[in-house]
Amino acid sequence: VLNDRQVEEFQRTGALFFPGLFSRQEVAVLQRAAEETASRPGPNVTPEMATDSVRMVHGSHREHDVFANLCRHPRLVGPAEQLLGEGIYVHQSRLNYNAGMGSGGFDWHQDFATWHTVDGLPEPRALMMTVFLDDVTPANGPLLYIPGSHRHGVIDDFEPVRDRNGNVLMRLAERRLRVLVEDGGIAAGLGPAGSALIMHCNVVHGSTPNISPNRRALYYVNVNAVSNRQRTFKRAEYHAGTDFTPLQPVADDALLRLAA
Ligand SMILES: O=C(O)CCC(=O)C(=O)O
């Protein structure tokens, strides 16, 4: 259960960090599952722009038990339900690599810009919850975000950019970025593997290419309030999930049981 200070911090900054939320043993289970899903070819696997290394895998919670359980994990579901004030479902999951040696990186954007404009989620009552599958340091392309940027609502000043699979990212215009950064600065999600960062869906975020030799993998469980379900159905299920059944939490040791 989140305390009042945590709820206030989330409302003010749009972000809450949980260092070491999952143990080293649980991380090992997640890392193995990540390798399995990333090595299965499919339209939900997006390569990097300049190399064939995997950039993103969408929707693996529908294919892999480990990620199905991670999405239902009480350490994520509990805080998410508390912050959104009702039952939640998975709008989207994604495994994001920032593979190292210069590949990767994401332009500044708000996820809700796409979820609202393309998927028709009515209100910004959704969260990104990212679980670190590797240690994240300033050197390996951490997730960067602008604290407090969620309070500006959807910023209607972006241009679409496409990756090699045609996934659209709504890149924020530079003039808006400057104003937001003057106001809130830039924070980085740093910490040991197993840490988690919960962010409001309107927080502006991105990352730089990872020029270190060390991989940086993050698993995002992006959830939406059940009453805020999508109104338009243009995208594949692995981009915009249509199972609106409220998530039922699994046992706290669910990931370890899958390792046995
Ligand atoms: O994982 C990252 O570095 C940023 C990813 C991101 O912004 C996204 O997929 O929307």
Side-chain angles (χ1 to χ4, degrees):
V1 183
L2 302 175
N3 61 36
D4 290 351
R5 189 192 53 74
Q6 288 173 306
V7 173
E8 183 279 326
E9 181 179 337
F10 177 79
Q11 287 167 348
R12 184 168 40 83
T13 67
L16 260 188
F17 182 59
F18 301 85
L21 186 67
F22 293 94
S23 69
R24 286 275 159 188
Q25 289 86 341
E26 289 171 318
V27 168
V29 175
L30 296 171
Q31 286 176 337
R32 202 170 324 119
E35 274 162 38
E36 284 162 12
T37 60
S39 62
R40 276 184 214 157
N44 60 326
V45 181
T46 305
E48 286 296 353
M49 296 301 266
T51 70
D52 284 334
S53 102
V54 173
R55 174 174 174 80
M56 277 192 280
V57 182
H58 282 95
S60 54
H61 69 288
R62 296 163 58 240
E63 296 169 359
H64 201 297
D65 262 2
V66 165
F67 294 124
N69 277 268
L70 181 66
C71 289
R72 292 168 178 78
H73 202 284
R75 286 174 234 156
L76 295 176
V77 173
E81 285 183 340
Q82 192 179 342
L83 291 172
L84 294 174
E86 63 172 293
I88 53 169
Y89 71 93
V90 180
H91 177 62
Q92 179 187 81
S93 75
R94 56 180 190 243
L95 169 63
N96 279 23
Y97 286 101
N98 198 346
M101 300 310 294
S103 66
F106 289 78
D107 286 310
W108 292 104
H109 66 284
Q110 296 173 303
D111 278 14
F112 188 67
T114 304
W115 300 347
H116 182 58
T117 315
V118 181
D119 302 329
L121 267 58
E123 300 293 330
R125 302 197 52 235
L127 301 171
M128 292 170 278
M129 300 197 282
T130 182
V131 177
F132 298 8
L133 304 195
D134 295 311
D135 295 340
V136 184
T137 72
N140 65 346
L143 176 64
L144 303 176
Y145 64 95
I146 303 177
S149 49
H150 64 303
R151 286 185 271 125
H152 295 255
V154 178
I155 301 164
D156 189 16
D157 196 0
F158 44 68
E159 63 170 312
V161 288
R162 286 174 198 279
D163 63 26
R164 271 171 66 185
N165 277 20
N167 302 317
V168 174
L169 179 148
M170 306 289 203
R171 179 170 62 199
L172 191 70
E174 181 183 335
R175 55 188 168 268
R176 298 305 294 265
L177 182 64
R178 280 189 188 285
V179 173
L180 292 174
V181 171
E182 268 168 34
D183 201 30
I186 296 177
L190 305 176
S195 301
L197 181 66
I198 298 186
M199 291 201 304
H200 187 284
C201 59
N202 265 334
V203 166
V204 174
H205 62 282
S207 53
T208 63
N210 172 11
I211 60 168
S212 87
N214 303 321
R215 188 189 71 177
R216 185 234 66 178
L218 304 178
Y219 196 88
Y220 289 78
V221 179
N222 297 330
V223 295
N224 186 24
V226 167
S227 68
N228 194 44
R229 64 175 59 176
Q230 71 186 76
R231 301 294 196 263
T232 45
F233 297 83
K234 296 182 193 159
R235 296 208 292 171
E237 183 75 26
Y238 56 79
H239 276 140
T242 57
D243 181 354
F244 307 121
T245 320
L247 293 177
Q248 296 301 322
V250 294
D252 193 73
D253 64 352
L255 296 176
L256 296 178
R257 280 196 222 171
L258 287 170

